[in-house]
Amino acid sequence: MKRSGWVAWLRLLAGLGILVALVWHLGSQTFLAGLRRIDSATLLAALGIGVLTTVCSAWRWCLVARGLGLRLPLGRAVADYYRALFLNAALPGGVLGDVHRAVHHGRSSGDLGRGVRAVALERTAGQVVLLVTGAVVLLVRPSPVLAPVTRFLASPAVALSVAAAGLLVLAVAVRLRRRRGASRGERALRTVVAEARQGLLARGVWPGVALSSAAVLAGYLGMFVLAARVAGATAPTAELVPLVVLALLAMALPLNVGGWGPREGVAAWAFGAAGLGAAQGLTTAVIYGVLAFVASLPGAVVLLARVSPLSAARPTASGAVPLGIRIPSKEPRRSGAERQAERQAEGPPLAAATGVIRQRAADVPPAVTGGVRSQASQATAARGDTP
């Protein structure tokens, strides 16, 4: 098995391990209690929030793609984004929908690499806004979970890791600035940096990217608070927001099964540290997962519409039928004897232009052919042409 296959399996097993540990410590009734609390009004609210977040995410994708010089209409972006959300929620890993979205747009636009980088930059912009907002919320709003988080971030291991990463980035930037003839990896890195400036930091791009990312984050926070209310949490919203931010940050970890795993673990820990109960945190995360899946269900409709046989057999605008589609003839079938009898009744075929009856060379007598040749020779000699 390739290395990528092992990594994917390890991520899947890590997500399953987190879920198994939660069920082992808190019981399966916590999952079932969250499912029983969901009603039709909650599902409709999730669909409405999903429309807001999906349209804003698709708009952000359009801005980044256009900044890189790729054409992407908003309607098509919304449909593709819905399909990607559904695939992310339905398939293990949580990123296969984004991979499909990137490859599909890259191939349709004629530049696969740039299409993939557009999706990567779009997702990066959302994660950066989430990280910045989360840091601000945790620093400004006092919360019982802030102390352990601060101790973790201030630990020597984290500090050394951040310092090493900063020095590595600085060294790479200095090397790229000094060298003219760069290697293939350095040229690729320069391309990524240049496209990040065009797709994210350009004057006509970054305001829309920031605004759409803020709207998407507000939608995610609103859906998580809604899940907490359905789970029975009575704490003020200002107290729930830091806990929700931590759960959303955990969703960025690539150790999940369709989005499940780290989100539930961090939510249980954060709610428990805040005095609200780990069971209530797990119930909130379970309800949020169900609501997020319901919000992505329009993507299933898009997926079925794209692979429908009727759409594949639909004629083109010019009226031509795509290759591989056979149109049955309306004329009744005739036997070989009937077709032969019809040809004999019609007689020998006539020439289209002259009306002269065509005959095979074997049916014309030699005397006739010789007379025709002699008449043609006499006419040529009379005109003075060389035969």
Side-chain angles (χ1 to χ4, degrees):
M1 183 180 294
K2 295 182 180 180
R3 181 180 179 182
S4 59
W6 282 109
V7 172
W9 277 107
L10 289 177
R11 293 175 178 176
L12 180 62
L13 292 177
L16 288 175
I18 294 174
L19 294 177
V20 170
L22 291 174
V23 173
W24 180 266
H25 288 284
L26 299 177
S28 60
Q29 292 298 324
T30 307
F31 287 86
L32 300 178
L35 297 178
R36 284 194 294 263
R37 289 175 177 268
I38 301 174
D39 54 6
S40 58
T42 305
L43 297 179
L44 291 177
L47 284 173
I49 296 175
V51 170
L52 170 66
T53 56
T54 304
V55 171
C56 291
S57 299
W59 178 39
R60 179 177 63 195
W61 183 25
C62 289
L63 292 174
V64 175
R66 292 169 185 172
L68 297 182
L70 301 177
R71 182 178 178 274
L72 182 61
L74 181 59
R76 175 187 169 188
V78 171
D80 290 349
Y81 218 103
Y82 258 121
R83 180 179 56 188
L85 290 176
F86 175 74
L87 293 177
N88 286 341
L91 299 177
V95 295
L96 296 180
D98 291 325
V99 173
H100 180 269
R101 172 167 62 100
V103 174
H104 181 266
H105 178 231
R107 288 178 176 176
S108 61
S109 61
D111 194 333
L112 179 59
R114 189 169 296 182
V116 172
R117 290 191 292 271
V119 173
L121 291 175
E122 181 264 328
R123 297 294 296 169
T124 302
Q127 297 299 326
V128 168
V129 171
L130 174 60
L131 289 173
V132 173
T133 304
V136 171
V137 169
L138 293 176
L139 292 176
V140 172
R141 178 65 187 176
S143 177
V145 300
L146 183 60
V149 172
T150 304
R151 288 196 300 268
F152 172 74
L153 295 178
S155 61
V158 175
L160 290 176
S161 300
V162 172
L167 291 176
L168 180 61
V169 171
L170 181 62
V172 171
V174 171
R175 184 178 181 183
L176 291 178
R177 193 172 185 88
R178 289 181 177 179
R179 291 187 60 180
R180 292 293 183 181
S183 63
R184 182 177 180 180
E186 294 174 348
R187 289 195 300 269
L189 183 59
R190 287 182 178 180
T191 301
V192 171
V193 172
E195 290 183 347
R197 293 176 180 175
Q198 299 174 1
L200 295 178
L201 304 178
R203 182 178 301 179
V205 175
W206 74 263
V209 171
L211 180 61
S212 60
S213 300
V216 171
L217 180 57
Y220 290 159
L221 291 175
M223 186 175 293
F224 228 120
V225 172
L226 173 63
R229 297 306 182 197
V230 174
T234 58
T237 303
E239 185 178 346
L240 291 175
V241 168
L243 313 180
V244 168
V245 166
L246 288 175
L248 290 176
L249 289 173
M251 291 177 60
L253 298 176
L255 304 173
N256 58 79
V257 183
W260 298 76
R263 175 185 62 208
E264 285 70 26
V266 172
W269 167 80
F271 275 70
L276 302 179
Q280 190 173 78
L282 179 57
T283 303
T284 300
V286 170
I287 295 175
Y288 177 85
V290 175
L291 296 183
F293 180 76
V294 171
S296 69
L297 285 180
V301 179
V302 176
L303 184 63
L304 292 176
R306 295 286 176 86
V307 301
S308 175
L310 295 179
S311 61
R314 186 179 299 125
T316 59
S318 60
V321 179
L323 294 177
I325 305 299
R326 299 183 61 182
I327 304 298
S329 176
K330 296 182 180 180
E331 297 182 358
R333 294 184 177 180
R334 295 174 298 176
S335 62
E338 293 177 351
R339 289 195 297 267
Q340 184 177 2
E342 184 178 355
R343 286 195 299 267
Q344 293 177 358
E346 291 178 354
L350 301 179
T354 61
V356 180
I357 298 177
R358 293 182 179 177
Q359 292 183 339
R360 293 178 299 178
D363 298 335
V364 181
V368 176
T369 56
V372 172
R373 292 194 185 98
S374 61
Q375 291 178 3
S377 303
Q378 295 176 2
T380 302
R383 290 196 306 265
D385 300 335
T386 302

